[in-house]
Amino acid sequence: MDSSLSLEGKVAVVTGAGNGLGRAEAIALAQAGAKVVLNDLPGDAVQAVAEEIAAKGGEAAVCAGDVAEWATGEAIMKAAEALGGLNILVNNAGVLRDRMIFTMTPDEWDLVMRVHLRGHFVTSRFATAYWRDQSKQTGRPVYGRIINTSSEAFLLGSAGQPNYAAAKGGITALTLSTARSCARYGVLANAICPRARTEMTVSLMGQAPTGDRDPLAPEHVAPLVTYLASPAAALITGEVFIVHSGVVAVMAPPTLKASFRDLWSAESIHEALDGLFTADPPKAGFVTEATLPLAETTFGEN
């Protein structure tokens, strides 16, 4: 392995590591040389991932618990320090409660926001505080990597997922804020929008094809996560990636659509904007449908 891609001597935390994307990412990080702290809800699944990593010669520790709980964040940090410190944080834990906005219950909203957005905050809060203290003690930048899991749902304004889309939009904003506020300490933060067939998404994507490699298998997302965690990605921060089936797309920041000056009244605003929005019936703007053709890429193409 190229030494710039090696994670030897590094310690990584992966949330939601018992299944799907988290499992694939944890295994890939371990194969690259990292010691891994596996977080998920208590159960056999996350323990099985630890055993699988150990069987392949890696080292993993399980820190089970609700990632949105403050005490779990504290426990994750202690588990990482027991392995030698913390270098890499991969936030992946999530749930779905899909429903249209006009039928969604408060509990369905709160649960998704809590697990996704608060869960990302809790671990990021402890990790960045740890890295900031390290940097201040040593007087130099640390090796800190955060890879957060967003989704194209926030880019597309997913109609049946207002809670999920809002949480993922928040995660993207959290990633950008973290990248800007913690750069001085050596911390890099990026977000991925993966397409993967997991237990959480199988109802949307259907069952995997039989007899062939699944182009939407979580294992096809893991290489980008491993790369972003590595020394080779030392110049990448505050970016948003779409990744699936051998495809990696880097999103551009939002662009300015139009700008008008000296609009001091509703009448002048109407005059300026009247010709800008012409679709009838109106069509939602500020969505990023340009990502949809990526789905046409067949497995094995770059």
Side-chain angles (χ1 to χ4, degrees), residues 211-230:
D212 296 314
R213 295 172 68 188
D214 183 2
L216 292 175
E219 286 73 19
H220 304 314
V221 173
L224 175 61
V225 172
T226 304
Y227 172 72
L228 291 174
S230 75

Side-chain angles (χ1 to χ4, degrees), residues 7 14 21 24-26 28-29 88-90 145 147-149 192 194 220-230 233 243:
L7 299 179
V14 181
L21 280 169
E25 292 160 352
L29 291 168
I88 301 155
L89 170 62
V90 181
R145 303 284 194 271
I147 298 101
N148 287 333
T149 305
I192 63 170
H220 304 314
V221 173
L224 175 61
V225 172
T226 304
Y227 172 72
L228 291 174
S230 75
V243 54

